[in-house]
Amino acid sequence: MLCGNGNKRNTEEKCRVAYYKKIVPPIPQGRYRNVMDMNAYLGGFAAAMLKYLVWVMNVVPANSNPDNLGVVYERSFIGVYHDWCEAFSLYPRTYDLIHAAGVFNIYQDRCDITYILLEMEILLRPEGTMIFRDIVEVIVKIKAITKRMKWKSRIVDHESGPFNPEKILVSFKTYWTGGDAQQS
């Protein structure tokens, strides 16, 4: 699917969600109820997800410039500030889908991205989905870590085509248990 230049942020977000619908089949099936946008910007992802009847928690990185949480509230969405180098104060396994657009590029020089992925592991329900959008180098690092965490991951091209430097990593948190301790 080729998208336009995205001169309007909402149009860009709708294009992204339309593309996600193709690469993550459970989105249009109504499997997701609770969604988190880890880098909410102006709440465009939440607005684009409205037709899917999901609840979206918009998280604005604490060090973001400009400060956009007020705009998220004005659009009647819920949101919080958060520094992803810190733990997210929330009951574990609350979200079905986590959207992380550009988050790791923001934090890669501030803290180990493994800790952010471990925090996502806690926030995401078993068999939940994560969508990462970032530059290729960051996506490759994330994919290597998610493999060790036993998530099923695949890298796909950007919705505007393969020549865009930003790529998308779709990861599914698998439900697994340890081996039988009684085996000899």
Side-chain angles (χ1 to χ4, degrees):
M1 173 180 195
L2 295 176
C3 295
N5 293 342
N7 45 0
K8 289 193 175 186
R9 184 82 178 174
N10 281 345
T11 306
E12 185 178 320
E13 291 293 346
K14 286 179 182 175
C15 185
R16 285 180 177 188
V17 170
Y19 187 63
Y20 294 160
K21 191 171 86 171
K22 292 180 179 185
I23 62 174
V24 184
I27 290 176
Q29 297 170 358
R31 183 169 159 235
Y32 302 127
R33 297 174 310 236
N34 298 327
V35 177
M36 175 183 279
D37 188 2
M38 292 178 69
N39 187 9
Y41 189 63
L42 299 173
F45 179 73
M49 292 292 287
L50 280 175
K51 71 178 182 177
Y52 298 108
L53 300 174
V54 296
W55 179 85
V56 180
M57 169 59 82
N58 294 284
V59 181
V60 175
N63 59 341
S64 68
N65 189 13
D67 173 11
N68 293 324
L69 189 58
V71 176
V72 171
Y73 289 150
E74 286 176 15
R75 296 181 80 178
S76 300
F77 296 132
I78 190 164
V80 295
Y81 288 114
H82 185 65
D83 181 348
W84 285 110
C85 290
E86 305 291 330
F88 194 83
S89 179
L90 188 64
Y91 184 75
R93 299 187 178 181
T94 303
Y95 294 95
D96 303 303
L97 173 68
I98 298 177
H99 182 248
V103 172
F104 293 88
N105 200 16
I106 294 170
Y107 288 101
Q108 70 178 347
D109 295 331
R110 291 196 50 228
C111 58
D112 188 345
I113 63 172
T114 305
Y115 296 129
I116 300 172
L117 289 167
L118 289 171
E119 189 65 23
M120 293 173 76
E121 169 82 16
I122 294 167
L123 295 171
L124 195 67
R125 291 183 177 145
E127 300 180 349
T129 305
M130 287 150 287
I131 301 172
F132 303 94
R133 298 178 70 90
D134 224 311
I135 59 173
V136 176
E137 295 80 15
V138 174
I139 290 292
V140 170
K141 286 180 193 176
I142 294 169
K143 188 173 189 316
I145 297 167
T146 60
K147 182 178 181 181
R148 293 192 310 260
M149 295 173 75
K150 298 188 180 189
W151 296 351
K152 292 184 180 178
S153 300
R154 72 182 199 281
I155 298 173
V156 296
D157 287 327
H158 189 273
E159 62 268 6
S160 66
F163 300 111
N164 192 307
E166 184 178 71
K167 298 296 177 198
I168 300 168
L169 176 68
V170 179
S171 296
F172 299 94
K173 180 180 173 181
T174 58
Y175 182 74
W176 60 276
T177 58
D180 187 7
Q182 301 281 331
Q183 282 182 329
S184 297

